[in-house]
Amino acid sequence: MTRPAWQHLAWIVGSLVAAAAVGFLFDRTLLFLVVVLAAWLAYEVRSLVRFEHWLRRRSSEAPPDLHGLWGEAIATASRLYRRKVFHKRRVLLLLREFRRMTSAMPDGAILLSSTREIPWFNRMAGRWLDLQRKVDYGIRIDNLVRHPEFVEYLEKRGTTTPPRIRLPKAGDRWLLVRLVTTNASGQQLLILRDVTSEARLESMRKDFVANASHELRSPLTVIGGYLDALADEPGLDPAWHEPVQEMRRQSDRMRAIVQDLLELSRLEAHGGDADTVPVDVGGMLALIRKEALARPQHPSAIDLRIDSDAFLLGSESELHSIFANLVSNAVKYTPTEGRVDIRWWTDSKGGHVEVRDTGIGIPAEHLPRLTERFYRVDAGRSRRLGGSGLGLAIVKHALQRHGGRLDVQSVEGRGSTFTCHFPASRLAPRDEAAESA
């Protein structure tokens, strides 16, 4: 019990003792006690009424001047009220500052409830998505923006790659959408970023690469043909043998790069999902292994393990490109005394193709960028071995079209393991695949 409470109780007890003593002198003890108790009750009720009256009008009236326990209660309530007013003003100030900042943001921001309804959005989001304040509040965002990739991204709660949505009505604008979960209650913040310039530059780059590659293919074919004829010329000066052979190697390398660029451009241009033609993975891997063993230089052991007779539903040419690139890289970067193991198996999660080698390995800092175009761990070694730097980029894009993903595990100096994971929906039993074929 606090000190004011003890003092209040002491005053009551003291007054009752005094009333009992005076009443005893006049032989009216009970009467004096009743009078004193009635006086204390009237005081308590009056103090309670004043306290309740002040609580209802505390924003406009000063607190009443009460003593004892009631004075302490009023002082505590007054402190709590002042603290509440301070925090309320601070929150309002922060909210106004937040609204001013979000209004000045170059990005759009939309607050979503757990059911995807819109309680608030900033000016930029309203302009891009043609949202109207008060009219669109409480409406589900997927009822206003009917973009398939956007809706799928929302359904998966932002766990997939943020999509780009095109808005033809907004000046052919491209927006990058990112969903951020703000708290455990399910509220989310949708951030929109204008990537129109990047999208146009990327489109121009893709068109340039595709057109340049297409235009280079014919001249390189002509140059390669003349170099082949020149190399086979009996009367060629011996001093020109080595330069001509080097030109042939560089010409072949350029043709390989152009071919890879055309393949990559084709994959990017098609987009969407790949075909669903049944493909015999085991037979394809056996053919790729035979081609690897036919190379002038290859590891002493290239083993193939087929643990499933299931077929993959996809594009045969793209699947061949995926597996051939992985096997080619493994053979290229594994010494002759090393080994390459190829495996195909299926389980409840889907189909898996693994290419494991005992080659030079890849440093950990290079793993995140392996699938970038023209990215090389060792540029000098890649050029010497004829690598274009596009193989893994082709693998990545082709896998995406098949709903798959690439997993890379590597230890420098001990080898690498590349595993392609395909979803179970892409599998077909051999009997069914044979009947559909």
Side-chain angles (χ1 to χ4, degrees):
M1 189 178 293
T2 62
R3 182 177 179 183
W6 278 112
Q7 291 177 347
H8 197 75
L9 182 61
W11 274 102
I12 295 175
V13 173
S15 60
L16 290 175
V17 170
V22 174
F24 180 77
L25 292 176
F26 291 96
D27 197 20
R28 294 288 190 271
T29 303
L30 184 59
L31 177 62
F32 275 81
L33 287 175
V34 171
V35 171
V36 170
L37 285 174
W40 270 112
L41 180 60
Y43 173 76
E44 297 292 344
V45 171
R46 178 176 176 272
S47 299
L48 179 61
V49 170
R50 293 181 66 186
F51 183 51
E52 188 272 339
H53 176 81
W54 173 76
L55 283 177
R56 285 189 287 108
R57 296 171 174 81
R58 63 185 182 276
S59 60
S60 58
E61 293 186 6
D65 185 15
L66 298 177
H67 300 285
L69 188 60
W70 287 106
E72 185 67 20
I74 288 177
T76 302
S78 181
R79 284 196 300 270
L80 292 175
Y81 175 68
R82 288 196 302 270
R83 188 179 303 170
K84 175 187 174 183
V85 170
F86 170 77
H87 286 295
K88 183 177 180 180
R89 288 176 179 173
R90 185 169 178 268
V91 170
L92 287 175
L93 182 63
L94 290 175
L95 181 59
R96 288 170 184 163
E97 187 66 23
F98 172 75
R99 286 184 174 178
R100 281 196 295 267
M101 292 183 65
T102 54
S103 296
M105 280 175 56
D107 297 337
I110 304 176
L111 191 63
L112 300 178
S113 66
S114 58
T115 55
R116 302 180 197 163
E117 295 173 349
I118 305 175
W120 173 88
F121 56 85
N122 71 347
R123 185 181 305 168
M124 196 61 71
R127 181 188 306 171
W128 287 342
L129 300 181
D130 195 22
L131 303 178
Q132 299 180 13
R133 297 186 184 277
K134 298 183 180 179
V135 175
D136 292 325
Y137 284 163
I139 306 298
R140 287 172 57 100
I141 184 66
D142 46 357
N143 290 338
L144 300 173
V145 183
R146 298 179 179 273
H147 195 283
E149 293 183 11
F150 174 71
V151 175
E152 181 182 1
Y153 180 67
L154 290 179
E155 290 176 350
K156 295 183 178 179
R157 300 185 64 82
T159 57
T160 58
T161 303
R164 289 180 179 180
I165 59 176
R166 184 185 177 191
L167 305 175
K169 294 182 180 179
D172 200 18
R173 189 181 302 275
W174 287 86
L175 299 179
L176 178 66
V177 180
R178 187 177 297 275
L179 192 65
V180 180
T181 301
T182 56
N183 52 39
S185 65
Q187 280 195 334
Q188 297 171 319
L189 181 65
L190 191 66
I191 300 176
L192 310 174
R193 176 165 296 176
D194 186 358
V195 292
T196 305
S197 298
E198 292 87 339
R200 289 174 180 171
L201 285 174
E202 185 176 353
S203 178
M204 291 173 60
R205 178 186 57 78
K206 290 179 181 178
D207 292 342
F208 170 77
V209 170
N211 294 333
S213 302
H214 182 75
E215 294 298 328
L216 285 173
R217 182 168 57 177
S218 296
L220 285 172
T221 302
V222 174
I223 293 173
Y226 278 115
L227 287 173
D228 291 341
L230 188 60
D232 296 335
E233 176 62 37
L236 181 65
D237 190 338
W240 281 95
H241 285 169
E242 186 61 30
V244 169
Q245 292 300 328
E246 179 61 25
M247 285 188 286
R248 290 180 67 187
R249 284 192 294 269
Q250 294 301 325
S251 175
D252 292 340
R253 178 170 172 268
M254 285 296 297
R255 277 187 286 182
I257 291 176
V258 168
Q259 188 62 35
D260 286 345
L261 283 172
L262 290 173
E263 176 68 13
L264 194 57
S265 298
R266 186 187 65 80
L267 291 173
E268 291 177 339
H270 279 73
D273 294 335
D275 298 334
T276 55
V277 177
V279 176
D280 183 2
V281 178
M284 180 179 289
L285 291 176
L287 179 61
I288 292 174
R289 174 180 177 272
K290 185 181 296 185
E291 293 172 353
L293 289 171
R295 293 189 176 196
Q297 293 184 347
H298 59 78
S300 56
I302 303 179
D303 294 335
L304 174 61
R305 177 180 170 185
I306 305 297
D307 293 333
S308 173
D309 61 353
F311 279 46
L312 265 180
L313 300 178
S315 167
E316 184 173 1
S317 61
E318 293 178 17
L319 290 174
H320 184 276
S321 180
I322 293 171
F323 305 145
N325 271 297
L326 293 180
V327 173
S328 174
N329 283 345
V331 171
K332 194 180 300 180
Y333 295 104
T334 302
T336 54
E337 64 274 11
R339 65 178 293 116
V340 173
D341 293 304
I342 309 168
R343 184 189 174 202
W344 159 245
W345 79 98
T346 59
D347 54 25
S348 59
K349 296 181 180 179
H352 316 274
V353 173
E354 178 185 89
V355 179
R356 184 191 301 268
D357 65 66
T358 59
I360 61 176
I362 304 168
E365 62 270 18
H366 294 287
L367 292 178
R369 301 187 59 189
L370 280 180
T371 56
E372 294 181 9
R373 294 179 180 85
F374 299 108
Y375 186 80
R376 297 182 176 93
V377 176
D378 186 339
R381 184 191 297 267
S382 296
R383 291 191 183 95
R384 187 172 65 254
L385 296 175
S388 65
L390 293 170
L392 291 180
I394 293 174
V395 169
K396 174 187 174 182
H397 281 78
L399 273 174
Q400 288 176 346
R401 279 175 43 80
H402 288 79
R405 61 182 179 87
L406 178 66
D407 179 62
V408 183
Q409 303 291 332
S410 183
V411 178
E412 188 175 8
R414 298 179 58 183
S416 306
T417 301
F418 290 79
T419 308
C420 301
H421 301 284
F422 297 91
S425 59
R426 285 279 176 177
L427 296 178
R430 177 174 289 271
D431 296 339
E432 296 181 7
E435 292 177 1
S436 62

